Amino acid sequence: MSVSDSAPLSESSSTLPTEGRRRVQVDAVAPEVDGGRFPVRREVGERLVVEASVFADGHDRVAAVLLHRPTGHRSWTETLMEPLGNDRWRADFSLDGLGRMEYTVLGWVDAFRTWAADLAQWIGAGVDVSLQLEEGARLVEAAVDRAEGDDAAQLEGWVERLRAWSTEPGLADDPSPLATDAGPLSGTLPSLMARYPDRSLSSRYDRILEVAVDRERARFSAWYEFFPRSTAGEAGGHGTFRDAQRMLPYIREMGFDVVYLPPIHPVGRVRRKGPNNRVDSAPGDPGSPWAIGAAEGGHTAIHPELGSLRDFLEFREEAETQGLEVALDVAFQCAPDHPWVKAHPEWFRHRPDGSIRHAENPPKKYEDIFPLDFESEDWPGLWKALHGVFTFWMDQGVRIFRVDNPHTKALPFWEWVIEELKEKDPGVILLSEAFTRPAMMYRLAKLGFTQSYTYFAWRNTRRELVEYMEELTTTEVREYFRPNFWPNTPDILTEALQVGGRPAFMARLVLAATLSSNYGIYGPAFELMEHRPREPGSEEYLDSEKYQFRQWELDRADSLHPFIARVNRIRRENPALQRNDTLHFHPLDNEKLLAWSKQDREGENRMVMVVNLDPHHTQSGWLELDHLVLGMDPEESYQVHDLLAGGRYLWEPGRNFVQLDPRISPAHIFRVTRRLRTEGDFEYY
Amino acid sequence: MSVSDSAPLSESSSTLPTEGRRRVQVDAVAPEVDGGRFPVRREVGERLVVEASVFADGHDRVAAVLLHRPTGHRSWTETLMEPLGNDRWRADFSLDGLGRMEYTVLGWVDAFRTWAADLAQWIGAGVDVSLQLEEGARLVEAAVDRAEGDDAAQLEGWVERLRAWSTEPGLADDPSPLATDAGPLSGTLPSLMARYPDRSLSSRYDRILEVAVDRERARFSAWYEFFPRSTAGEAGGHGTFRDAQRMLPYIREMGFDVVYLPPIHPVGRVRRKGPNNRVDSAPGDPGSPWAIGAAEGGHTAIHPELGSLRDFLEFREEAETQGLEVALDVAFQCAPDHPWVKAHPEWFRHRPDGSIRHAENPPKKYEDIFPLDFESEDWPGLWKALHGVFTFWMDQGVRIFRVDNPHTKALPFWEWVIEELKEKDPGVILLSEAFTRPAMMYRLAKLGFTQSYTYFAWRNTRRELVEYMEELTTTEVREYFRPNFWPNTPDILTEALQVGGRPAFMARLVLAATLSSNYGIYGPAFELMEHRPREPGSEEYLDSEKYQFRQWELDRADSLHPFIARVNRIRRENPALQRNDTLHFHPLDNEKLLAWSKQDREGENRMVMVVNLDPHHTQSGWLELDHLVLGMDPEESYQVHDLLAGGRYLWEPGRNFVQLDPRISPAHIFRVTRRLRTEGDFEYY
């Protein structure tokens, strides 16, 4: 049936509404972001669960359907909503394709169910229901016109039966025979009538909401960032894509699925930075890859020393063969010798002396970088050029971009360009590298970024981690913001990693990888536990790869490579860790220990993590697991299996003891299963 | 300036927006109800405080104004918003008139302030700022065109000065003289430039929000309900308006300001109910006033035994003379002999045998009541007739209505009719008597009801009261739902009052009158502590006035009349008690004691209430008052004066002891003042 003629619920106006009999109210539809201004975000294969308050005046029963359709389609698909009590209704629909879908809620007074419920009461009270039976006959008679095929005939039969009962003298004295299986309340009539409701006076929620559906990797991904130019090995000098290709098995073995490369474009020569961000460079210094553009080209060119476009494509193909997707860095800024500076001076801000204004944050100056001017008169030209950068690389098969500092570019541009890119490939993924204030970080996600960097790197204590995770997973933020947790980046060597040694690297990895379904590391610095800052108090790496080549001893005996591989394998094998929406923290009587659980959508895969936040001392305590959260019987004992260290424990209802020596393992990653009945039930990992 | 050309912030579309350079984002504007679908509610004389997140990309400074105007006006008034930090901005505007006002937020990049802040940094760093000075000159030059009168000439002077400085050789070496009072940063230039910002690329929040402004009584009122027909006194029989007039001084002395009368219309004779809701009545039984309508007339007629319309008007005028406003009961339902039943049978639902369907909630039947059918084909006629009932009584000078069971009438009707009535008199007040599920109660408030009955009658324990008050005063509910707390009504004699004796009546009164700025009692039953239920387990009064006359011994020695008078006087004299938005509960280590505070908008009048919820035993405990909530110095001691019982105490920082013997007084109502310095500083009450 068509519902397009359903007017909004009610109208404020000094004249009568066109139709005043739409008695049902639809209120508080969830999820909804900013009153429907932005879509909620989900992934293919998930179901969108929608709730609404649906009610009418009086004691009449109401019914409701969830309406949904791909955005742009005219006709709605309907899913009947189930009552949850207290006027709240719920339904869901599956997100089978990429792109956007619309949804809203429609409700109406269900005259037949109201009649049936009343009739049951009257029969129970033993009163004469002959008039009620005739009223029922009329309701069914009206439904005959709406019914199709055989149903119409069946309904006609019911009309006759109801009329016959209504005049049957014996029933007037004792209506109880009507309550039997053959009666109007429990036979085929209710289901028949449910198929043909009278929805002429239905009310629709006054807004149409949207869900943006991304591919699964938007929710579940493990990123590995490295500098291809540092892969020359013992030969030294500038590594190439061919050298970098040799890294791929090493990365694959660790279990990552996204390989993210810092900018691969020609590096500016003008005012090039030297090692450790020195103002001037010596011949042979490679400069910062984020100083993009030189005579050889700009954002769509390949740095000649890395190789050719063909070399890049080979690298990308080889990565894909190994199950790794390549993500490129998009940094919209230019070195002074970027071709755009000459070709499009109007895209930059000029100073009174005619020079182009370089980046600055007074009193700091960044002379090797020219920012783009989003207030340029030719902003349309600039937008199209930037759009062209994305599409160029998409045409080379790249579908994931890490966007550098999006919060320093005009936000209307992002909303426009992301929409455009999704038109081209709805599977495109953009990671927002904004480390700034919350309103901006969240707004970028609302405007379309698929994933976002976070404050995780600076959340170390239990209270900090719990508060932050609850903000991300229990507030409206969860509907649109997908966190991607990085324990380190080329810009961020946290104090925790500088001083905490191996246990800190292990703990921070487990936290990132199991608190958040999206995470990443900057390697090989991470697995080789690089921890020397440029100077005390700095978060910059000493001898940072941002400004020089590094040679990494990948096969070092103490490398975290096997540990990371194990964590990533646990993530892949346990769907509970592939989502954040079931995250729950559990009480533990030692502030240095953090305990939380996650489970998959079906509640079949249940994981409990415990991390020792103190890298220096063994910590122990009593964990009170909330069985109900995990959908388990609170009276039953159960088996927990530490997939990280290998131990198995039988846990009793109530409190259980945990202890973690950081020198051995700073974390447990438990899979929780029902108590084994015999030794044969043991599951082996 | 005109802002009507400000397009929404940004647009999703596959074509470029008309203007892509509106870099400022406006997000999270508060207050906002349901994405702007409903207005927030406030009262005349208040200020509406509006907050928004306003920010732009990069490090540029932004500025924002709150735009506001009476709904229907074209031009906006602007109030500059103040930054609160973390991208949050705030401003307020005064609500000077009744009716609706619109508001929204406009932001822009403030190029001059950005320039000035940068310049200060450069000067501090001691670098050559000649180019910056020329850039500033250009910004000021552009502002000359926007400036008016003398300001333009002043700005031109600044352009010259900036240019002179920019070429002054000494300043290139040492810019510090520019940081003096005569320089561009601290002289008249910043305030001049603030007056003429370049707002050509401003962004406006994508919605226009509304505030509905009611008169003060919407927020602060004390209601007294009584049955005029029970005022015949020793004469017995049917009291008249003239008899009822004699009650007015008694009510005024108690300090109420609204006198609310149950329906005053002719009472149906057909199937009239007898005492204690007996199915049949004896001759002389007055019937229920809610069975409205008989041969003498319906909803616009006066019950002849009460008197004439002229008598009613005299009653209303005398009440007003005494400072009491009369509220009428609007119960849209009909006795079988209501004139509409014959004149407009189409406004009722008919059964198959042609009879009109009476009210029922199976298995209960209410044969003396015909509900109106809001699905009538002639719903426009019905709506207009009901609208006419309100306007008839408004024409008789009535401005307050208590609406009986609005949740059993179609909600689109309420939204329409309340809007209509406010057109006629924006000071009209409607109290919603809906005791039903939360979604419906809140929706009625959103749709326009000024005040609402609540679950207060059934909230007795500390936890129940705290949870409910926090829902009402700290969630979005506070923006549109004004609670009116009733410890009793003719329909509700709670178990707490049945068994708790005098202390329960006193405690429930203090709770109602000081937790909520709107409250009411049904008297004289309340002050005379009537507590006998019709039968055990029932909340109905025995010998309820709903079905029979009662004679009340108003001058009984144990009447709560003086106690209520004192509580109402405290409410009138302490503005803190005339609002709910500052309510805060304070820790007290005895669950039987509830402690909370309120203060006025200026924070000058501070009240602390403590109530013993146990009517049978003395309870004591340690109260930890949160001084910061009350805007007081946490290190200082202070004076508290119990306005109810008269005691004065000097309280120390930290915990203070409280004890309440319910037989003496179950409550403290403290006014908190700074510690007195000498005996001369004592304030006397």
Side-chain angles (χ1 to χ4, degrees):
Chain A
M1 73 158 266
S2 158
V3 292
S4 56
D5 57 342
S6 290
L9 209 37
S10 48
E11 301 168 38
S12 309
S13 103
S14 56
T15 54
L16 287 170
T18 345
E19 176 54 81
R21 294 173 298 173
R22 300 190 186 280
R23 293 166 48 211
V24 167
Q25 308 280 304
V26 182
D27 197 343
V29 176
E32 177 181 288
V33 178
D34 290 7
R37 163 76 174 84
F38 298 104
V40 304
R41 300 192 181 278
R42 293 291 189 276
E43 305 81 30
V44 164
E46 295 285 300
R47 302 188 69 80
L48 185 70
V49 179
V50 178
E51 288 190 13
S53 296
V54 183
F55 51 96
D57 56 285
H59 85 283
D60 285 357
R61 305 290 177 111
V62 301
V65 285
L66 172 63
L67 304 177
H68 46 101
R69 66 184 176 193
T71 297
H73 285 218
R74 280 187 66 85
S75 65
W76 293 104
T77 302
E78 299 190 351
T79 306
L80 200 64
M81 299 187 85
E82 299 291 335
L84 303 175
N86 224 359
D87 295 325
R88 204 76 186 143
W89 296 72
R90 181 192 288 161
D92 59 38
F93 63 101
S94 67
L95 305 171
D96 300 325
L98 294 171
R100 292 203 181 191
M101 293 193 73
E102 293 180 327
Y103 60 98
T104 192
V105 169
L106 180 87
W108 63 92
V109 170
D110 188 334
F112 181 80
R113 280 187 57 240
T114 306
W115 171 86
D118 287 359
L119 184 68
Q121 291 284 341
W122 296 129
I123 293 172
V127 304
D128 176 4
V129 295
S130 43
L131 285 177
Q132 281 85 351
L133 289 165
E134 173 56 27
E135 282 171 345
R138 293 181 187 185
L139 287 173
V140 179
E141 205 162 29
V144 169
D145 294 339
R146 296 188 293 270
E148 286 155 17
D150 184 45
D151 289 347
Q154 279 202 56
L155 286 168
E156 272 170 1
W158 275 106
V159 174
E160 281 164 35
R161 242 163 296 162
L162 287 163
R163 292 222 158 104
W165 282 325
S166 83
T167 53
E168 198 173 315
L171 287 175
D173 297 331
D174 174 18
S176 59
L178 290 166
T180 61
D181 276 358
L185 299 177
S186 40
T188 55
L189 185 57
S191 60
L192 265 172
M193 286 299 285
R195 251 176 274 163
Y196 305 104
D198 176 4
R199 304 197 332 198
S200 56
L201 296 177
S202 59
S203 309
R204 208 173 76 188
Y205 185 55
D206 62 333
R207 268 159 278 174
I208 291 175
L209 306 175
E210 265 192 311
V211 52
V213 186
D214 290 304
R215 58 190 167 117
E216 195 193 1
R217 184 145 290 161
R219 190 188 68 244
F220 175 53
S221 62
W223 296 48
Y224 187 83
E225 172 179 9
F226 78 103
F227 284 75
R229 70 186 188 184
S230 280
T231 57
E234 289 175 19
H238 204 296
T240 66
F241 283 124
R242 281 165 196 268
D243 298 325
Q245 221 162 296
R246 289 199 302 269
M247 284 283 286
L248 293 172
Y250 169 87
I251 299 169
R252 175 179 50 79
E253 283 158 18
M254 260 189 296
F256 289 98
D257 40 46
V258 177
V259 169
Y260 148 47
L261 309 180
I264 58 174
H265 316 302
V267 175
R269 289 183 184 84
V270 178
R271 291 191 283 271
R272 179 178 283 192
K273 293 286 179 75
N276 288 305
N277 200 23
R278 277 206 301 271
V279 175
D280 28 58
S281 56
D285 282 345
S288 161
W290 283 274
I292 295 171
E296 297 87 347
H299 285 78
T300 54
I302 301 262
H303 188 51
E305 295 191 67
L306 280 172
S308 65
L309 182 60
R310 171 163 299 277
D311 294 336
F312 169 73
L313 291 174
E314 258 177 40
F315 175 84
R316 182 189 66 65
E317 277 156 26
E318 178 55 26
E320 260 164 49
T321 308
Q322 306 219 18
L324 294 165
E325 205 173 338
V326 171
L328 287 190
D329 193 315
V330 171
F332 283 142
Q333 56 191 17
C334 298
D337 37 341
H338 190 293
W340 283 349
V341 176
K342 272 202 184 122
H344 294 285
E346 69 278 12
W347 294 350
F348 301 88
R349 234 172 118 185
H350 292 260
R351 315 198 60 196
D353 64 355
S355 65
I356 290 179
R357 189 171 176 147
H358 50 69
E360 57 185 38
N361 193 359
K364 282 189 265 178
K365 299 180 175 188
Y366 307 91
E367 285 103 337
D368 58 334
I369 299 292
F370 286 169
L372 292 157
D373 179 14
F374 283 84
E375 290 197 3
S376 163
E377 290 290 330
D378 184 35
W379 62 269
L382 173 62
W383 284 26
K384 285 176 195 158
L386 301 180
H387 173 253
V389 171
F390 280 111
T391 56
F392 176 85
W393 294 108
M394 287 167 78
D395 290 340
Q396 313 312 320
V398 178
R399 303 180 76 201
I400 308 187
F401 299 94
R402 175 267 200 193
V403 176
D404 190 79
N405 284 332
H407 59 294
T408 61
K409 283 90 198 172
L411 273 64
F413 165 70
W414 292 122
E415 185 167 25
W416 171 80
V417 81
I418 295 172
E419 196 58 32
E420 289 286 303
L421 301 179
K422 291 209 162 182
E423 286 273 311
K424 182 178 170 73
D425 175 4
V428 68
I429 287 176
L430 292 98
L431 166 62
S432 157
E433 189 248 5
F435 291 109
T436 180
R437 294 184 299 278
M440 172 61 88
M441 292 188 63
Y442 290 143
R443 184 78 175 191
L444 286 162
K446 290 178 186 175
L447 291 173
F449 279 93
T450 324
Q451 300 181 354
S452 304
Y453 282 71
T454 68
Y455 306 135
F456 167 71
W458 304 283
R459 297 291 179 272
N460 289 288
T461 67
R462 179 157 112 177
R463 187 177 155 179
E464 286 167 356
L465 287 161
V466 168
E467 276 181 9
Y468 191 44
M469 289 313 300
E470 291 188 339
E471 176 174 327
L472 296 180
T473 63
T474 68
T475 71
E476 194 203 53
V477 167
R478 69 187 274 169
E479 307 297 352
Y480 59 83
F481 183 90
R482 295 193 191 92
N484 192 328
F485 277 10
W486 291 70
N488 76 329
T489 77
D491 301 313
I492 306 170
L493 171 64
T494 63
E495 196 186 2
L497 295 181
Q498 291 177 30
V499 303
R502 185 182 181 83
F505 278 85
M506 292 168 76
R508 295 297 296 174
L509 185 98
V510 171
L511 288 167
T514 63
L515 282 171
S516 172
S517 52
N518 293 306
Y519 91 108
I521 59 171
Y522 151 54
F526 190 86
E527 64 268 27
L528 296 181
M529 296 167 287
E530 179 76 14
H531 64 278
R532 293 165 306 145
R534 189 189 297 164
E535 67 253 343
S538 166
E539 286 194 340
E540 289 284 343
Y541 279 94
L542 178 67
D543 301 333
S544 166
E545 287 185 284
K546 291 194 288 184
Y547 311 105
Q548 66 189 77
F549 307 128
R550 288 290 298 268
Q551 282 169 302
W552 298 104
E553 198 184 334
L554 298 183
D555 51 1
R556 232 169 61 195
D558 66 341
S559 168
L560 292 174
H561 188 284
F563 179 77
I564 296 170
R566 174 157 277 233
V567 170
N568 278 332
R569 196 172 62 195
I570 296 170
R571 278 169 48 95
R572 273 203 316 280
E573 292 177 354
N574 291 282
L577 299 178
Q578 298 169 16
R579 54 196 314 125
N580 299 335
D581 54 350
T582 59
L583 176 77
H584 185 89
F585 291 100
H586 298 264
L588 207 163
D589 61 0
N590 177 343
E591 278 291 314
K592 295 287 183 190
L593 295 175
L594 178 67
W596 72 97
S597 66
K598 283 186 170 186
Q599 55 203 302
D600 64 353
R601 208 176 57 206
E602 295 75 23
E604 285 163 11
N605 179 238
R606 301 181 183 116
M607 303 294 288
V608 172
M609 277 59 67
V610 184
V611 171
N612 180 357
L613 302 173
D614 173 0
H616 305 297
H617 305 96
T618 297
Q619 297 284 349
S620 60
W622 291 90
L623 167 64
E624 262 182 277
L625 210 57
D626 184 337
H627 291 215
L628 293 176
V629 165
L630 287 162
M632 298 180 338
D633 183 343
E635 303 299 319
E636 233 178 67
S637 56
Y638 42 93
Q639 191 202 146
V640 301
H641 178 188
D642 186 350
L643 305 180
L644 205 52
R648 288 171 193 276
Y649 310 87
L650 195 63
W651 277 4
E652 297 298 326
R655 310 197 321 159
N656 286 280
F657 186 75
V658 287
Q659 175 166 312
L660 286 163
D661 178 346
R663 284 151 302 186
I664 299 164
S665 171
H668 291 302
I669 303 183
F670 292 119
R671 180 155 56 205
V672 182
T673 49
R674 299 186 65 133
R675 183 182 177 174
L676 60 162
R677 297 301 174 193
T678 76
E679 65 272 35
D681 291 333
F682 251 114
E683 62 170 325
Y684 292 92
Y685 177 67
Chain B
M1 73 158 263
S2 160
V3 293
S4 57
D5 57 342
S6 290
L9 205 39
S10 47
E11 300 167 40
S12 309
S13 104
S14 57
T15 54
L16 288 171
T18 344
E19 176 52 81
R21 293 173 295 173
R22 300 190 187 281
R23 294 165 47 210
V24 166
Q25 309 280 303
V26 182
D27 196 342
V29 176
E32 177 181 286
V33 178
D34 289 8
R37 164 75 175 83
F38 299 104
V40 304
R41 302 193 180 277
R42 293 291 189 276
E43 305 82 31
V44 164
E46 294 286 300
R47 301 187 70 79
L48 186 70
V49 179
V50 178
E51 288 188 14
S53 298
V54 183
F55 51 96
D57 56 283
H59 86 283
D60 285 357
R61 306 291 176 110
V62 300
V65 285
L66 172 62
L67 304 176
H68 46 100
R69 64 184 177 194
T71 297
H73 286 218
R74 282 186 66 85
S75 66
W76 293 103
T77 302
E78 300 190 348
T79 307
L80 199 64
M81 299 187 85
E82 299 291 333
L84 303 174
N86 224 358
D87 295 326
R88 204 75 185 143
W89 295 72
R90 181 192 287 159
D92 58 36
F93 62 100
S94 68
L95 306 170
D96 300 325
L98 294 172
R100 292 203 182 192
M101 293 191 73
E102 293 179 329
Y103 59 98
T104 192
V105 169
L106 180 87
W108 63 92
V109 170
D110 187 335
F112 181 81
R113 278 186 59 242
T114 306
W115 171 85
D118 286 358
L119 184 68
Q121 291 284 341
W122 295 131
I123 293 172
V127 305
D128 177 2
V129 294
S130 44
L131 285 177
Q132 281 86 349
L133 289 166
E134 172 57 27
E135 282 170 345
R138 293 181 187 185
L139 287 173
V140 178
E141 204 163 31
V144 170
D145 295 339
R146 297 188 292 270
E148 286 154 19
D150 184 45
D151 289 347
Q154 280 202 52
L155 287 168
E156 273 171 1
W158 276 106
V159 174
E160 281 165 34
R161 242 162 296 163
L162 287 163
R163 292 220 157 107
W165 284 325
S166 83
T167 53
E168 198 175 315
L171 287 175
D173 298 330
D174 174 16
S176 59
L178 290 166
T180 60
D181 277 358
L185 299 176
S186 40
T188 55
L189 184 57
S191 60
L192 265 173
M193 286 298 286
R195 250 177 274 165
Y196 304 105
D198 177 4
R199 302 194 338 194
S200 55
L201 296 176
S202 59
S203 309
R204 209 173 76 188
Y205 185 53
D206 62 333
R207 268 159 278 175
I208 290 175
L209 306 174
E210 265 192 312
V211 53
V213 186
D214 291 304
R215 58 191 168 117
E216 194 194 1
R217 183 146 292 159
R219 191 188 68 242
F220 175 53
S221 62
W223 296 48
Y224 186 83
E225 173 178 9
F226 78 103
F227 284 76
R229 69 187 189 185
S230 281
T231 56
E234 289 176 19
H238 204 297
T240 65
F241 283 125
R242 279 164 198 267
D243 298 326
Q245 223 163 293
R246 289 198 302 267
M247 284 282 286
L248 295 173
Y250 169 88
I251 299 168
R252 175 179 50 78
E253 283 157 18
M254 259 188 296
F256 290 98
D257 41 46
V258 178
V259 170
Y260 147 47
L261 310 180
I264 57 173
H265 317 300
V267 175
R269 289 183 185 84
V270 178
R271 291 192 282 274
R272 179 178 282 192
K273 293 286 179 76
N276 289 306
N277 200 23
R278 276 205 301 271
V279 173
D280 28 58
S281 57
D285 282 344
S288 162
W290 283 274
I292 294 170
E296 297 88 347
H299 284 79
T300 53
I302 300 264
H303 188 51
E305 296 192 67
L306 281 171
S308 64
L309 182 59
R310 171 163 299 278
D311 294 336
F312 169 73
L313 291 174
E314 258 177 39
F315 174 84
R316 182 189 66 64
E317 279 157 24
E318 177 56 26
E320 262 164 47
T321 307
Q322 306 218 16
L324 294 165
E325 205 172 338
V326 171
L328 287 190
D329 193 314
V330 171
F332 283 142
Q333 54 191 19
C334 298
D337 37 341
H338 189 294
W340 283 351
V341 177
K342 273 202 182 121
H344 294 285
E346 69 278 11
W347 293 350
F348 301 89
R349 233 171 121 185
H350 293 260
R351 312 198 60 196
D353 65 355
S355 65
I356 289 179
R357 189 172 177 146
H358 51 67
E360 56 185 39
N361 192 359
K364 284 189 264 177
K365 299 181 175 189
Y366 307 91
E367 286 104 337
D368 58 335
I369 300 292
F370 286 168
L372 293 157
D373 179 13
F374 282 85
E375 290 198 4
S376 163
E377 291 288 331
D378 184 35
W379 63 269
L382 173 62
W383 284 25
K384 285 176 195 159
L386 301 180
H387 173 253
V389 171
F390 280 110
T391 56
F392 176 86
W393 293 108
M394 287 168 79
D395 290 340
Q396 313 313 317
V398 178
R399 305 180 76 202
I400 307 187
F401 299 95
R402 177 267 197 192
V403 176
D404 190 79
N405 283 332
H407 59 294
T408 61
K409 284 90 198 171
L411 272 63
F413 165 70
W414 292 122
E415 185 166 25
W416 171 80
V417 80
I418 295 173
E419 196 58 31
E420 290 287 304
L421 301 180
K422 292 210 161 181
E423 287 273 312
K424 182 178 169 73
D425 174 5
V428 68
I429 288 176
L430 292 97
L431 166 62
S432 157
E433 190 247 6
F435 291 109
T436 181
R437 295 184 298 278
M440 171 62 88
M441 293 189 59
Y442 290 142
R443 185 79 176 190
L444 287 163
K446 289 178 188 174
L447 291 173
F449 278 93
T450 325
Q451 299 181 354
S452 303
Y453 282 71
T454 68
Y455 305 135
F456 167 71
W458 305 282
R459 297 291 179 271
N460 289 286
T461 66
R462 179 157 110 176
R463 187 176 153 179
E464 287 167 354
L465 286 162
V466 168
E467 277 181 7
Y468 192 44
M469 289 312 300
E470 290 188 340
E471 177 174 326
L472 297 180
T473 63
T474 67
T475 71
E476 194 204 52
V477 167
R478 69 187 275 170
E479 308 297 352
Y480 59 85
F481 183 89
R482 294 193 192 92
N484 191 327
F485 276 11
W486 291 69
N488 76 329
T489 77
D491 300 314
I492 305 170
L493 171 63
T494 62
E495 196 186 3
L497 295 182
Q498 291 176 31
V499 304
R502 184 183 182 82
F505 278 86
M506 291 169 75
R508 296 297 296 175
L509 185 98
V510 171
L511 288 167
T514 61
L515 281 172
S516 171
S517 53
N518 293 305
Y519 91 108
I521 59 170
Y522 152 55
F526 190 87
E527 64 267 27
L528 296 180
M529 295 168 286
E530 181 75 14
H531 65 277
R532 295 163 307 145
R534 189 190 295 163
E535 67 254 342
S538 166
E539 287 195 338
E540 288 285 343
Y541 279 93
L542 179 67
D543 301 333
S544 166
E545 286 185 285
K546 290 195 289 185
Y547 311 105
Q548 67 189 78
F549 307 129
R550 289 291 298 269
Q551 284 170 301
W552 298 104
E553 199 184 333
L554 298 183
D555 51 1
R556 230 170 63 195
D558 67 340
S559 167
L560 291 174
H561 188 283
F563 179 77
I564 297 170
R566 173 158 278 233
V567 170
N568 278 331
R569 195 173 62 197
I570 296 170
R571 278 168 49 94
R572 274 203 315 281
E573 293 177 352
N574 291 282
L577 299 178
Q578 298 169 15
R579 54 196 313 123
N580 299 334
D581 55 350
T582 58
L583 176 77
H584 186 88
F585 291 101
H586 298 264
L588 207 163
D589 61 358
N590 177 342
E591 278 293 314
K592 295 288 183 189
L593 295 175
L594 178 67
W596 71 98
S597 66
K598 283 187 170 184
Q599 55 203 302
D600 63 353
R601 206 175 57 206
E602 294 76 22
E604 286 163 10
N605 179 238
R606 302 180 182 117
M607 303 293 289
V608 172
M609 278 60 67
V610 184
V611 171
N612 180 357
L613 302 172
D614 173 1
H616 304 299
H617 305 97
T618 297
Q619 297 286 349
S620 59
W622 291 90
L623 168 64
E624 264 183 277
L625 211 58
D626 184 338
H627 291 215
L628 293 176
V629 165
L630 287 162
M632 298 178 341
D633 183 343
E635 304 299 319
E636 233 178 67
S637 56
Y638 42 93
Q639 190 201 146
V640 300
H641 178 189
D642 186 351
L643 305 181
L644 206 52
R648 288 170 193 278
Y649 310 87
L650 195 64
W651 277 4
E652 296 298 325
R655 311 197 322 157
N656 285 280
F657 187 73
V658 287
Q659 175 166 313
L660 285 163
D661 178 347
R663 285 151 301 187
I664 299 166
S665 171
H668 290 303
I669 305 183
F670 291 119
R671 180 156 54 204
V672 182
T673 49
R674 300 187 64 134
R675 183 182 179 175
L676 61 163
R677 298 302 172 193
T678 75
E679 66 272 32
D681 291 333
F682 250 114
E683 63 170 325
Y684 291 93
Y685 176 67

